[in-house]
Amino acid sequence: MRETSGGAVFARHARSAAVLAVAMMLVAPAAMAARGDREPAAEPTRSAPVVRNTVDELKQLMDLRQLTELRTTYNGNYGASLLFNANTLTYYVALFQEKNFWRVIKTDAVDNAERVYRTFAQQSEQLAQVYIDTTRLEAGKRYTERLVAYNEERLRTLQQEMEQQQAQSAQVSAALQQAQQQAVSLSTDVQSTNNQLDALQRRIQILQAEQGNPELSLPKPDSVPAPAAASDGR
């Protein structure tokens, strides 16, 4: 009986614990929601931009428009710039090619900034010399190529004109030769015709002379036949 009563008590405690656990599970979400309503949500922390070197620092300040351009020198596609940050009284001297910064020096001294700027300007001039020479040589090459192409076209045109002139000259020469042959043939024909005309004119003159002669044309005496000889039988 003692053991049975103990088992019953344990069973009742177990049921009570189970009911309590279920009640806590039901109440916990509501309590957490209420707590969430009372406490403001924590804002996510924003990480500051990472500046690795002076070049990155210069780019960041330029993006934020916190720099004033004091001096800039261009040589070809190279250049040097002197920039000033009025908020920190800091100078930035940059050596660049197009939009790529090669070197950036940061200083607080104006004299040092001017000295570095002049040095970078001289360096940009030296660096740009190869670019300038290359640009000039490429332009000269393109100009020469255009001249070559123009002269080749001009030569082809002249050759075509010469060929046309030669063809025309050959045609003219053939026409002249044919005309000369025709002239020789005509000259021969004219000479023959003149000879024929002369012969006809001579015959006409003879006939005209005979027709204009009043004397009869009689046979000559020696042309009269001799009388027939007498026959011995008479």
Side-chain angles (χ1 to χ4, degrees):
M1 290 295 294
R2 185 176 296 174
E3 292 179 359
T4 303
S5 298
V9 172
F10 177 77
R12 286 196 299 272
H13 283 291
R15 286 195 298 271
S16 299
V19 172
L20 180 60
V22 172
M24 291 180 64
M25 292 177 62
L26 295 175
V27 174
M32 293 178 65
R35 183 180 179 183
D37 294 338
R38 291 192 301 270
E39 295 181 358
E43 295 182 357
T45 58
R46 297 180 181 178
S47 58
V50 178
V51 178
R52 293 183 297 272
N53 50 44
T54 311
V55 174
D56 293 338
E57 181 180 346
L58 176 62
K59 291 181 179 179
Q60 179 181 343
L61 292 174
M62 291 179 66
D63 293 337
L64 296 175
R65 300 182 182 276
Q66 294 183 3
L67 296 178
T68 302
E69 183 178 359
L70 301 181
R71 301 182 189 274
T72 297
T73 298
Y74 292 97
N75 287 290
N77 59 347
Y78 294 87
S81 290
L82 176 59
L83 307 169
F84 179 63
N85 188 348
N87 296 326
T88 60
L89 301 182
T90 306
Y91 297 91
Y92 294 86
V93 188
L95 175 64
F96 60 87
Q97 180 189 20
E98 294 181 353
K99 295 182 180 180
N100 299 319
F101 292 106
W102 280 22
R103 293 189 62 191
V104 176
I105 293 180
K106 176 181 178 182
T107 180
D108 296 333
V110 60
D111 295 337
N112 186 37
E114 293 287 352
R115 180 181 58 81
V116 174
Y117 170 75
R118 287 192 296 269
T119 302
F120 279 2
Q122 294 176 357
Q123 291 179 0
S124 68
E125 182 178 357
Q126 296 172 359
L127 292 171
Q129 190 60 46
V130 176
Y131 170 80
I132 294 173
D133 294 340
T134 302
T135 302
R136 290 173 176 171
L137 290 174
E138 289 177 350
K141 179 183 177 182
R142 290 192 297 268
Y143 178 76
T144 304
E145 290 175 348
R146 289 196 300 269
L147 286 181
V148 170
Y150 171 79
N151 289 321
E152 288 178 349
E153 182 64 24
R154 180 60 178 165
L155 177 60
R156 284 193 295 269
T157 302
L158 291 176
Q159 288 177 346
Q160 292 176 356
E161 291 178 354
M162 181 61 66
E163 291 175 356
Q164 292 176 357
Q165 290 178 1
Q166 290 176 352
Q168 292 175 355
S169 298
Q171 292 176 357
V172 172
S173 177
L176 288 176
Q177 186 175 1
Q178 183 178 3
Q180 289 175 354
Q181 292 176 355
Q182 291 178 354
V184 171
S185 178
L186 289 174
S187 178
T188 302
D189 294 341
V190 169
Q191 185 64 36
S192 176
T193 303
N194 288 334
N195 294 334
Q196 184 178 3
L197 178 61
D198 292 341
L200 291 174
Q201 287 178 347
R202 285 194 298 271
R203 290 181 61 183
I204 291 173
Q205 290 175 358
I206 293 173
L207 292 175
Q208 288 177 349
E210 290 179 353
Q211 289 179 356
N213 188 5
E215 297 181 358
L216 296 175
S217 297
L218 298 176
K220 293 180 180 180
D222 55 0
S223 63
V224 178
S231 177
D232 294 338
R234 200 176 35 169

